[in-house]
Amino acid sequence: QVQLVESGGGLVQAGGSLRLSCAASGISFTTYGMDWYRQAPGKQRELVAGISSVSRTTYADSVKGRFTISRDNAKRIVSLQMNSLKPEDTAVYYCYTRVARRDYWGQGTQVTVSS
């Protein structure tokens, strides 16, 4: 059974940093790309960053230069380093992967950036 478990959210002041982690189990981790999404209140869930099985990365324009996604295949963890945080980064952040045409989501972790 595929499980994704996020950690690392919290409350931080604008300009601060947080590091999110997502631990994956139940999949051949090195085979699949992993993504981070976020959903702010009253808004649609949006893709923040993605990393392929060969560590090719993509970012939303709104986070380029501030966020960095990485993966540790030995530990089966995908991380999102978030620097220079802004109040508009406040959202629930979700880890995501797609395996055998099925979508899998973590439970989400709250990130709140105060101004």
Side-chain angles (χ1 to χ4, degrees):
Q1 183 178 355
V2 179
Q3 281 194 316
L4 303 174
V5 180
E6 301 101 335
S7 60
L11 173 64
V12 64
Q13 289 189 333
S17 299
L18 281 174
R19 186 177 181 86
L20 306 182
S21 294
C22 171
S25 60
I27 60 172
S28 177
F29 185 74
T30 56
T31 302
Y32 299 100
M34 304 290 296
D35 299 326
W36 284 98
Y37 282 75
R38 67 186 181 189
Q39 188 166 20
K43 294 188 176 181
Q44 288 190 330
R45 193 170 295 190
E46 64 174 354
L47 177 64
V48 175
I51 187 164
S52 74
S53 59
V54 294
S55 295
R56 184 174 294 117
T57 58
T58 59
Y59 297 93
D61 287 343
S62 59
V63 307
K64 280 181 182 176
R66 299 188 299 122
F67 291 11
T68 302
I69 189 171
S70 61
R71 62 190 298 156
D72 184 331
N73 288 335
K75 295 182 179 179
R76 305 166 65 86
I77 289 175
V78 59
S79 298
L80 186 67
Q81 178 66 42
M82 305 186 295
N83 299 328
S84 301
L85 282 160
K86 305 175 181 180
E88 51 264 43
D89 294 318
T90 295
V92 178
Y93 284 70
Y94 297 91
C95 184
Y96 165 86
T97 192
R98 186 169 175 85
V99 177
R101 293 182 288 179
R102 289 187 62 181
D103 298 327
Y104 293 93
W105 297 90
Q107 83 284 358
T109 185
Q110 177 70 46
V111 171
T112 303
V113 184
S114 62
S115 57

